[in-house]
């Protein structure tokens, strides 16, 4: 146990923090939800992680500035589409603005109605169980009700760049 008090440390600079977090390689997902009128919404997110095995829980962190957040807060279900190594265009598409992100993108409603993108590496359908505010993001936690996957390599995000395995 530390006997000395921890000295006041200088605040972590934002760009430095981003660079450090970028040293943690992640996959890329498109988190999806339907709004009250049934319209599909989706957002590129690499903050996805599994949380618990029993019950099966996952989370996605959503920026307070993201317009899609209101739909995650209200929607009873959300989807997570894990992208394969050749799908970086989908990642860019669902992070951009000024167009309908789903136009020309093949998808179908899953068992829970959430948008499932065609030919992604894996999909999860979740019931929203909690939304926790943490700093400038909301942590959206869901219980996995259905999941599927196929063989293939993942799209990887590392050091603010897309990578492929191998
Ligand atoms: C590789 C990558 C990963 C991202 N991960 C996240 C994330 O985990 N959470 C988040 O809120 N935004 C993330 N973003 C940014 C969002 O995709 C983008 O701000 C969002 O789609 C804007 O949504 P809106 O149109 O609903 O405002 C990421 C963007 C990229 C390119």
């Amino acid at each position: 146990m530390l006997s000395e008090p921890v000295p006041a440390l200088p605040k972590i600079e934002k760009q430095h923090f981003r660079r450090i977090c970028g040293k943690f390689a992640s996959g890329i997902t498109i988190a999806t939800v339907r709004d009250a009128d049934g319209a599909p919404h989706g957002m590129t997110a690499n903050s996805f992680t599994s949380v618990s095995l029993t019950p099966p829980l996952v989370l996605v962190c959503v920026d307070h500035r993201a317009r899609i957040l209101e739909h995650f807060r209200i929607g009873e279900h959300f989807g997570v589409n894990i992208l394969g190594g050749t799908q970086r265009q989908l990642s860019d598409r669902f992070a951009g603005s000024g167009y309908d992100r789903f136009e020309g993108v093949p998808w179908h409603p899953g068992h829970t109605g959430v948008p499932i993108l065609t030919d992604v590496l894996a999909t999860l359908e979740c019931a929203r169980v909690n939304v926790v505010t943490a700093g400038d993001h909301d942590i959206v936690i869901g219980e996995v009700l259905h999941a599927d996957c196929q063989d293939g390599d993942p799209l990887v995000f590392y050091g603010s760049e897309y990578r492929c395995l191998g």
Side-chain angles (χ1 to χ4, degrees):
M1 208 171 97
L2 276 179
S3 53
E4 298 292 317
V6 177
L9 293 166
K11 275 221 165 73
I12 299 278
E13 197 262 322
K14 199 171 167 181
Q15 286 310 319
H16 181 59
F17 181 55
R18 286 180 85 104
R19 209 167 77 82
I20 299 301
C21 292
K23 297 293 178 191
F24 186 66
S26 72
I28 299 271
T29 73
I30 310 293
T32 56
V33 67
R34 303 281 283 272
D35 67 21
D37 297 325
H41 297 267
M43 180 192 89
T44 301
N46 71 334
S47 59
F48 167 79
T49 191
S50 57
V51 174
S52 157
L53 278 178
T54 312
L57 299 178
V58 297
L59 68 77
V60 179
C61 300
V62 184
D63 195 312
H64 287 166
R65 292 168 301 182
R67 289 164 300 168
I68 196 173
L69 178 57
E70 60 174 304
H71 307 307
F72 283 113
R73 283 179 173 158
I74 293 167
E76 284 182 25
H77 300 98
F78 67 92
V80 178
N81 297 264
I82 299 176
L83 299 186
T86 61
Q87 294 177 314
R88 61 181 70 186
Q89 279 172 336
L90 272 182
S91 174
D92 287 338
R93 181 174 186 86
F94 280 85
S97 59
Y99 50 86
D100 175 357
R101 289 176 176 170
F102 280 87
E103 196 182 325
V105 175
W107 69 277
H108 65 274
H111 300 274
T112 60
V114 299
I116 298 296
L117 305 189
T118 304
D119 270 345
V120 292
L121 195 54
T123 60
L124 302 98
E125 293 184 52
C126 309
R128 176 181 47 76
V129 294
N130 208 352
V131 178
V132 181
T133 296
D136 56 12
H137 280 56
D138 271 14
I139 304 169
V140 182
I141 303 169
E143 177 165 357
V144 181
L145 303 180
H146 184 79
D148 225 334
C149 70
Q150 57 174 314
D151 290 338
D153 287 335
L155 185 58
V156 172
F157 198 60
Y158 177 73
S160 302
E161 287 178 4
Y162 297 117
R163 309 278 179 111
C164 290
L165 286 186

